[in-house]
Amino acid sequence: MTMADPPPAANPQADGFGNNPRCLRRDMSNYLASTYGKTSDIVDLLTHYATIGSFQNKMQAVDPDNGGIGVHAVGHYTISGDPGSDPFISPNDPAFWMHHGMIDRTWSIWQTLDLPNRMQVIDGTTILRGAGVVATLEDWVTLDVLAEREYQIKELVSTVDGPFCYTYE
Ligand SMILES: [Cu+2]
């Protein structure tokens, strides 16, 4: 007989995105990974979503009844997941960064399938959730301690142009 872990403290915000500090739990939620994070889900994403808006909306989807759970969200809710899952605690587990590398790789592959139309394109707003200002390629990004200067989004959308120089094999 095994004892179940106690549930995490309730998030202080109704939307679940409030600061909720607690000890890290290293755990995997295999259900989401095996249901929505399969290789076939990545292939489907790469081959059926031709615009950046449809591609990222499918990749980011978090509603099983409306678009499913996207391969990006799967990692956030799978790695280091508390029983209630918390997308903001998942980056605390070093294993999570393999997932984010794969998300970057998937975006890079998607771009190379139609470079003229998929490299310099973005969709969405300047904030993660809720209404915000529509982002443009001209907007500036602050990377804090990771970079000595700010970059425009148009400089950051390629793995080989701008400040980056890497490819996936
Ligand atoms: Cu992420």
Side-chain angles (χ1 to χ4, degrees):
M1 180 175 145
T2 59
M3 295 185 58
D5 289 333
N11 193 280
Q13 286 184 207
D15 64 4
F17 291 104
N19 184 28
N20 191 14
R22 58 197 180 275
C23 293
L24 172 69
R25 290 183 185 186
R26 301 195 79 178
D27 195 8
M28 298 284 290
S29 174
N30 197 38
Y31 172 76
L32 287 179
S34 62
T35 305
Y36 299 106
K38 303 178 301 299
T39 300
S40 60
D41 294 308
I42 295 174
V43 171
D44 176 68
L45 177 65
L46 290 171
T47 56
H48 290 97
Y49 298 87
T51 65
I52 186 66
S54 66
F55 173 78
Q56 74 181 33
N57 287 343
K58 181 63 178 176
M59 179 182 264
Q60 315 277 44
V62 294
D63 183 352
D65 298 323
N66 185 18
I69 305 293
V71 294
H72 175 215
V74 163
H76 278 274
Y77 289 105
T78 295
I79 297 174
S80 188
D82 279 325
S85 294
D86 182 336
F88 291 142
I89 203 78
S90 49
N92 287 340
D93 191 324
F96 170 84
W97 294 100
M98 297 295 287
H99 162 66
H100 248 260
M102 185 61 179
I103 292 303
D104 184 61
R105 178 176 180 261
T106 301
W107 181 27
S108 177
I109 292 170
W110 181 84
Q111 289 176 317
T112 61
L113 293 173
D114 186 3
L115 275 176
N117 295 306
R118 294 184 178 182
M119 183 56 68
Q120 289 291 325
V121 291
I122 61 169
D123 189 40
T125 64
T126 57
I127 60 173
L128 180 62
R129 301 255 180 235
V133 177
V134 173
T136 74
L137 291 165
E138 309 299 321
D139 286 338
W140 291 91
V141 176
T142 300
L143 300 173
D144 291 320
V145 298
L146 300 176
E148 294 180 354
R149 70 172 186 87
E150 294 183 341
Y151 290 95
Q152 288 182 286
I153 292 175
K154 65 184 178 186
E155 298 176 277
L156 303 175
V157 295
S158 169
T159 65
V160 292
D161 295 330
F164 306 126
C165 186
Y166 64 91
T167 58
Y168 293 101
E169 296 181 1

